[in-house]
Amino acid sequence: MTTLANDVTVPARRVTTPAGFVLALTSAVAFGLSGALARPLLDAGWTPGSVVLTRIGIGAVVVVPFGVRALHGQWSLVRRNARLIALYGALAVAGAQFCYFAAVQHMEVGPALLIEYTAPAAVVVWFWLRHGERPGPVTLGGAAVCALGLVLVLDLFSGAGLSTVGVLWALGAMVGCATYFIVNGDDSTGLPPLSLAAGGLVVGAAALGLLGLVGLMPMRVETVDVAYAGTSVAWWVPLVLLGLVTAAVAYVTGIAASRVLGSRLASFVALSEVVAGVLWAWLLLDQLPAPVQLLGGALILLGVLGVKLGERAIPAGDATPEPLPTP
């Protein structure tokens, strides 16, 4: 049986260090690069499904050898956590991305991202309801500032229509995103971050491939050059970068960050991915961010600081809850 760790009941192993923030920001910057790299491919005729499958597949090929080595022959860890790895790959890797792309077929990108990135709030609620870790006023204030910053970065004040179907898909993406942070922060499994990342990427790639085979996720590729910041490059260059940086590096550092910071704090630091995405689009696609987006980015960072300060005084329940078995 595998349990999802309580961020507070293991204080000796949950020590917040600058290295944790470096790992979390590295993961956010790496994930944020995916949109800017993928956009020219999509404009050239690639479908979102084909880009995502290639990205996750390359990431799996890169990370698996390191994941195997990190096990040091302890394959019993994989067998004992097989269900958790399957859950992680299906929900956190494949599910989040499939649901997000399904959502943007019915609604605009900005609102879909906003709904998906309510995941940090879902993580806070999860630990509150499941483990009795009631967030204090500083944590709630930081979360509110983060939410306002996210709205500004996504520039939602222009107004956008919402589709019920799109909202439901976006909520599915949020569940996958929240699962990513909750499982990442569980250091009770004994699985090294590299091994969890490898297993999740393999399962995710297999699930996405199956969705493509049955026609639920259209697949189309084009072997034409694409341009970034006025420079033309071969089509395979961004795909390699998507696999190496936005999959391999992003998932490994994201898991390692959650092990250090805990699921709750790491999920709020990860909101900087949205800011990084705007900046990458500026650098690679010449899409200049608006002043309101820069203000939103500053608010997100301020909100993360508030959540960090609030982490020091989150009260836990009187009794340690029973472990939560994975499905």
Side-chain angles (χ1 to χ4, degrees), residues 34-50:
S34 60
L37 284 178
R39 182 55 186 266
L41 290 169
L42 298 175
D43 291 342
W46 286 68
T47 58
S50 60

Side-chain angles (χ1 to χ4, degrees), residues 73-303:
Q74 301 180 65
W75 288 100
S76 60
L77 291 175
V78 177
R79 291 192 294 270
R80 190 163 65 243
N81 294 288
R83 291 184 178 180
L84 181 66
I85 294 172
L87 176 74
Y88 185 78
L91 289 183
V93 179
Q97 298 189 54
F98 175 73
C99 289
Y100 169 72
F101 283 118
V104 297
Q105 291 179 345
H106 299 277
M107 63 192 300
E108 294 183 10
V109 169
L113 277 175
L114 181 63
I115 293 171
E116 179 180 4
Y117 279 98
T118 58
V123 172
V124 170
V125 172
W126 168 264
F127 282 106
W128 185 0
L129 296 179
R130 183 63 193 179
H131 301 293
E133 299 171 18
R134 179 173 55 84
V138 178
T139 298
L140 293 176
V145 173
C146 281
L148 176 59
L150 186 60
V151 170
L152 295 180
V153 171
L154 295 175
D155 196 13
L156 299 180
F157 287 124
S158 57
L162 293 181
S163 158
T164 301
V165 174
V167 168
L168 291 175
W169 279 118
L171 287 172
M174 181 274 289
V175 171
C177 191
T179 301
Y180 167 81
F181 291 113
I182 293 171
V183 176
N184 281 355
D186 181 8
D187 57 5
S188 68
T189 65
L191 276 173
L194 280 167
S195 303
L196 176 59
L201 288 169
V202 169
V203 172
L208 291 169
L210 180 61
L211 290 171
L213 284 175
V214 300
L216 290 177
M217 194 167 64
M219 298 287 181
R220 186 175 66 252
V221 303
E222 295 289 343
T223 57
V224 296
D225 291 351
V226 292
Y228 297 91
T231 301
S232 181
V233 299
W235 58 272
W236 55 267
V237 173
L239 289 174
V240 171
L241 291 174
L242 281 166
L244 290 177
V245 179
T246 75
V249 172
Y251 278 101
V252 171
T253 55
I255 295 171
S258 292
R259 297 285 177 90
V260 177
L261 301 178
S263 302
R264 194 168 33 230
L265 180 55
S267 67
F268 280 96
V269 178
L271 290 177
S272 56
E273 174 190 338
V274 182
V275 182
V278 171
L279 296 178
W280 280 121
W282 178 21
L283 292 173
L284 297 181
L285 304 178
D286 294 326
Q287 297 178 359
L288 185 66
V292 69
Q293 292 179 301
L294 298 178
L295 173 61
L299 288 177
I300 287 176
L301 296 179
L302 181 63

Side-chain angles (χ1 to χ4, degrees), residues 45-61:
W46 286 68
T47 58
S50 60
V51 172
V52 170
L53 176 58
T54 304
R55 169 195 171 207
I56 298 301
I58 293 175
V61 170

